[in-house]
Amino acid sequence: MIRTVVCVEILCTACGDGWPDDAPPHYDTPEAAYAAVTFEHGWTVATPDAVCPACTALAACRLSGGHDWPPGVEFCAVCGHPDYRDRPDPNTDRIVVALRVLTAADRHATAGGGRW
């Protein structure tokens, strides 16, 4: 038997994935997907965009003043970002997109709309 199944997946607007160990879960509706990634998986949502926890951490670290690499440590003490002080950060575009989505989510929440 062959059947066609239609479902909804959410991928991170910043990194294009957000599911480091698994394929994205499938949901019946966009509303169910947004609720699940927000409340079960810790994503930040500003419809139609969604940002995974890893990209949210990178952006939040940037907002808090930048990374903190203690002497001799290769990863940021705040977000776990690798130390790229001596070369261009390959995550810059990802962080810029995540910051845009986080800002939109905060504006929406401040206006009384909640997080999604």
Short mmCIF file of all heavy atoms in Angstrom, two decimals, residues 30-58:
data_model
loop_
_atom_site.label_atom_id
_atom_site.label_comp_id
_atom_site.label_asym_id
_atom_site.label_seq_id
_atom_site.Cartn_x
_atom_site.Cartn_y
_atom_site.Cartn_z
N PRO A 30 0.35 23.83 11.74
CA PRO A 30 1.38 24.80 12.13
C PRO A 30 1.24 25.23 13.59
O PRO A 30 2.24 25.38 14.30
CB PRO A 30 1.14 25.98 11.19
CG PRO A 30 0.49 25.38 10.00
CD PRO A 30 -0.37 24.25 10.53
N GLU A 31 0.02 25.38 14.06
CA GLU A 31 -0.19 25.79 15.45
C GLU A 31 0.36 24.76 16.42
O GLU A 31 0.99 25.10 17.42
CB GLU A 31 -1.69 26.02 15.72
CG GLU A 31 -2.28 27.19 14.98
CD GLU A 31 -2.58 26.90 13.50
OE1 GLU A 31 -2.60 25.71 13.09
OE2 GLU A 31 -2.79 27.87 12.76
N ALA A 32 0.12 23.48 16.13
CA ALA A 32 0.65 22.40 16.98
C ALA A 32 2.17 22.39 16.94
O ALA A 32 2.84 22.18 17.96
CB ALA A 32 0.09 21.05 16.53
N ALA A 33 2.74 22.65 15.76
CA ALA A 33 4.20 22.67 15.63
C ALA A 33 4.79 23.82 16.44
O ALA A 33 5.77 23.61 17.18
CB ALA A 33 4.58 22.80 14.15
N TYR A 34 4.22 25.03 16.31
CA TYR A 34 4.74 26.17 17.06
C TYR A 34 4.65 25.93 18.57
O TYR A 34 5.56 26.24 19.32
CB TYR A 34 4.00 27.46 16.69
CG TYR A 34 4.38 28.02 15.35
CD1 TYR A 34 3.42 28.34 14.41
CD2 TYR A 34 5.72 28.25 15.01
CE1 TYR A 34 3.75 28.86 13.17
CE2 TYR A 34 6.07 28.77 13.77
CZ TYR A 34 5.08 29.08 12.85
OH TYR A 34 5.42 29.59 11.64
N ALA A 35 3.51 25.40 19.02
CA ALA A 35 3.35 25.13 20.45
C ALA A 35 4.36 24.10 20.94
O ALA A 35 4.98 24.28 21.99
CB ALA A 35 1.92 24.66 20.72
N ALA A 36 4.55 23.04 20.19
CA ALA A 36 5.47 21.98 20.60
C ALA A 36 6.91 22.46 20.66
O ALA A 36 7.61 22.20 21.64
CB ALA A 36 5.35 20.78 19.67
N VAL A 37 7.36 23.17 19.63
CA VAL A 37 8.76 23.61 19.66
C VAL A 37 8.98 24.64 20.75
O VAL A 37 10.05 24.69 21.36
CB VAL A 37 9.29 24.11 18.30
CG1 VAL A 37 9.24 23.02 17.25
CG2 VAL A 37 8.59 25.36 17.82
N THR A 38 7.97 25.44 21.04
CA THR A 38 8.11 26.44 22.09
C THR A 38 8.12 25.80 23.48
O THR A 38 9.03 26.01 24.27
CB THR A 38 6.96 27.47 22.02
OG1 THR A 38 6.98 28.09 20.75
CG2 THR A 38 7.09 28.52 23.10
N PHE A 39 7.11 25.00 23.76
CA PHE A 39 6.93 24.50 25.12
C PHE A 39 7.64 23.19 25.41
O PHE A 39 7.97 22.92 26.55
CB PHE A 39 5.43 24.39 25.44
CG PHE A 39 4.74 25.72 25.35
CD1 PHE A 39 3.82 25.98 24.33
CD2 PHE A 39 5.03 26.73 26.23
CE1 PHE A 39 3.20 27.21 24.23
CE2 PHE A 39 4.42 27.97 26.14
CZ PHE A 39 3.50 28.21 25.14
N GLU A 40 7.88 22.36 24.40
CA GLU A 40 8.53 21.08 24.63
C GLU A 40 10.02 21.09 24.29
O GLU A 40 10.78 20.30 24.83
CB GLU A 40 7.84 19.98 23.81
CG GLU A 40 6.41 19.73 24.23
CD GLU A 40 5.69 18.76 23.31
OE1 GLU A 40 6.37 18.01 22.58
OE2 GLU A 40 4.45 18.77 23.32
N HIS A 41 10.41 21.99 23.37
CA HIS A 41 11.79 21.96 22.89
C HIS A 41 12.56 23.25 23.15
O HIS A 41 13.72 23.35 22.79
CB HIS A 41 11.82 21.61 21.40
CG HIS A 41 11.22 20.27 21.10
ND1 HIS A 41 11.85 19.08 21.39
CD2 HIS A 41 10.02 19.94 20.56
CE1 HIS A 41 11.08 18.07 21.02
NE2 HIS A 41 9.96 18.56 20.53
N GLY A 42 11.93 24.27 23.74
CA GLY A 42 12.62 25.49 24.13
C GLY A 42 12.99 26.45 23.01
O GLY A 42 13.92 27.23 23.14
N TRP A 43 12.28 26.39 21.90
CA TRP A 43 12.55 27.30 20.79
C TRP A 43 11.92 28.66 21.06
O TRP A 43 11.00 28.79 21.87
CB TRP A 43 11.97 26.74 19.50
CG TRP A 43 12.70 25.56 18.93
CD1 TRP A 43 13.18 24.47 19.60
CD2 TRP A 43 13.03 25.34 17.57
NE1 TRP A 43 13.78 23.60 18.73
CE2 TRP A 43 13.70 24.10 17.47
CE3 TRP A 43 12.81 26.07 16.41
CZ2 TRP A 43 14.15 23.59 16.28
CZ3 TRP A 43 13.25 25.55 15.21
CH2 TRP A 43 13.93 24.32 15.15
N THR A 44 12.41 29.69 20.37
CA THR A 44 11.80 31.01 20.40
C THR A 44 11.06 31.18 19.08
O THR A 44 11.62 30.95 18.01
CB THR A 44 12.87 32.10 20.53
OG1 THR A 44 13.59 31.89 21.75
CG2 THR A 44 12.24 33.49 20.55
N VAL A 45 9.79 31.59 19.17
CA VAL A 45 8.95 31.69 17.98
C VAL A 45 8.42 33.11 17.83
O VAL A 45 7.94 33.70 18.79
CB VAL A 45 7.77 30.70 18.05
CG1 VAL A 45 6.80 30.92 16.90
CG2 VAL A 45 8.28 29.27 18.06
N ALA A 46 8.55 33.66 16.64
CA ALA A 46 7.92 34.91 16.23
C ALA A 46 7.34 34.59 14.86
O ALA A 46 8.02 34.72 13.85
CB ALA A 46 8.91 36.05 16.17
N THR A 47 6.12 34.10 14.85
CA THR A 47 5.50 33.57 13.65
C THR A 47 5.73 34.48 12.45
O THR A 47 5.53 35.67 12.59
CB THR A 47 3.99 33.39 13.89
OG1 THR A 47 3.80 32.66 15.09
CG2 THR A 47 3.31 32.67 12.76
N PRO A 48 6.19 33.98 11.34
CA PRO A 48 6.37 32.58 10.97
C PRO A 48 7.76 32.03 11.27
O PRO A 48 8.07 30.90 10.90
CB PRO A 48 6.13 32.61 9.45
CG PRO A 48 6.73 33.91 9.04
CD PRO A 48 6.41 34.86 10.17
N ASP A 49 8.61 32.82 11.91
CA ASP A 49 9.98 32.37 12.18
C ASP A 49 10.07 31.63 13.51
O ASP A 49 9.30 31.87 14.44
CB ASP A 49 10.93 33.57 12.23
CG ASP A 49 11.03 34.27 10.89
OD1 ASP A 49 11.25 33.57 9.89
OD2 ASP A 49 10.90 35.50 10.86
N ALA A 50 11.05 30.73 13.58
CA ALA A 50 11.33 30.01 14.81
C ALA A 50 12.85 29.82 14.90
O ALA A 50 13.51 29.58 13.90
CB ALA A 50 10.63 28.65 14.80
N VAL A 51 13.38 29.93 16.11
CA VAL A 51 14.82 29.82 16.32
C VAL A 51 15.09 28.75 17.38
O VAL A 51 14.50 28.77 18.46
CB VAL A 51 15.43 31.17 16.76
CG1 VAL A 51 16.92 31.04 17.00
CG2 VAL A 51 15.17 32.23 15.70
N CYS A 52 15.98 27.82 17.05
CA CYS A 52 16.31 26.71 17.94
C CYS A 52 17.07 27.21 19.18
O CYS A 52 17.59 28.33 19.20
CB CYS A 52 17.14 25.66 17.20
SG CYS A 52 18.82 26.16 16.80
N PRO A 53 17.14 26.39 20.23
CA PRO A 53 17.83 26.80 21.45
C PRO A 53 19.30 27.16 21.23
O PRO A 53 19.83 28.08 21.86
CB PRO A 53 17.68 25.60 22.38
CG PRO A 53 16.43 24.93 21.92
CD PRO A 53 16.42 25.12 20.42
N ALA A 54 20.00 26.46 20.34
CA ALA A 54 21.42 26.75 20.11
C ALA A 54 21.60 28.14 19.50
O ALA A 54 22.47 28.91 19.93
CB ALA A 54 22.04 25.69 19.20
N CYS A 55 20.77 28.49 18.52
CA CYS A 55 20.86 29.81 17.91
C CYS A 55 20.38 30.89 18.88
O CYS A 55 20.92 32.00 18.91
CB CYS A 55 20.06 29.85 16.61
SG CYS A 55 20.83 28.91 15.28
N THR A 56 19.37 30.58 19.69
CA THR A 56 18.91 31.51 20.71
C THR A 56 20.03 31.81 21.70
O THR A 56 20.25 32.97 22.07
CB THR A 56 17.67 30.95 21.44
OG1 THR A 56 16.62 30.77 20.50
CG2 THR A 56 17.21 31.89 22.54
N ALA A 57 20.76 30.79 22.11
CA ALA A 57 21.88 30.98 23.05
C ALA A 57 22.96 31.86 22.44
O ALA A 57 23.51 32.74 23.12
CB ALA A 57 22.46 29.63 23.47
N LEU A 58 23.30 31.64 21.16
CA LEU A 58 24.30 32.47 20.50
C LEU A 58 23.86 33.93 20.46
O LEU A 58 24.64 34.84 20.74
CB LEU A 58 24.55 31.97 19.07
CG LEU A 58 25.31 30.67 18.92
CD1 LEU A 58 25.33 30.24 17.46
CD2 LEU A 58 26.73 30.80 19.44
#
